[in-house]
Amino acid sequence: LNPLFDKLAEAHAAMDDGPTRTALADVVSALAMTRTVNGKREMLKFKMQGTRTELSEWGHEYVRSLAGEIGQEYHDRQVADPPKDCGDLLEL
């Protein structure tokens, strides 16, 4: 599915809000784990649009990778001038 990542991301962007869009965001987030695009944090971006519960069900490698992206995003928000709110990150 990785070769289809961009098409799936585009399909997600074109969808109306609802359970199918949320589920697709979770899938695209998991696929983003296999991609390395510096600074994009696609895994976090799509997870924030997907479900925010039961992260452990996705496996320890997913959680580890997601935690790294959360840490990077948190740091960037804290050093911004002025610092940006991190409440949405803390929910995860």
Side-chain angles (χ1 to χ4, degrees), residues 43-44 55 61-73:
M43 191 174 165
L44 177 59
L55 294 178
E61 285 297 323
Y62 177 81
V63 173
R64 182 189 62 77
S65 294
L66 184 61
E69 289 195 10
I70 291 170
Q72 291 169 350
E73 181 68 19

Side-chain angles (χ1 to χ4, degrees), residues 25-91:
D26 285 341
V27 171
V28 175
S29 176
L31 287 175
M33 185 174 71
T34 66
R35 295 168 46 106
T36 304
V37 182
N38 290 335
K40 285 193 119 183
R41 298 186 190 120
E42 293 174 316
M43 191 174 165
L44 177 59
K45 171 188 166 186
F46 285 104
K47 191 58 187 167
M48 295 296 286
Q49 297 175 48
T51 58
R52 296 189 183 190
T53 58
E54 306 301 332
L55 294 178
S56 61
E57 291 180 3
W58 289 87
H60 73 280
E61 285 297 323
Y62 177 81
V63 173
R64 182 189 62 77
S65 294
L66 184 61
E69 289 195 10
I70 291 170
Q72 291 169 350
E73 181 68 19
Y74 183 87
H75 175 265
D76 288 353
R77 290 184 188 186
Q78 290 300 299
V79 299
D81 187 27
K84 297 178 182 175
D85 180 52
C86 295
D88 57 338
L89 297 175
L90 297 175
E91 288 178 20

Side-chain angles (χ1 to χ4, degrees), residues 1-15 21 24-25 27-29 31-32 35 40 42 45-46:
L1 289 177
N2 201 26
L4 299 175
F5 179 88
D6 292 329
K7 289 185 188 255
L8 289 170
E10 289 170 12
H12 175 267
M15 293 176 110
R21 186 172 196 261
L24 183 56
V27 171
V28 175
S29 176
L31 287 175
R35 295 168 46 106
K40 285 193 119 183
E42 293 174 316
K45 171 188 166 186
F46 285 104

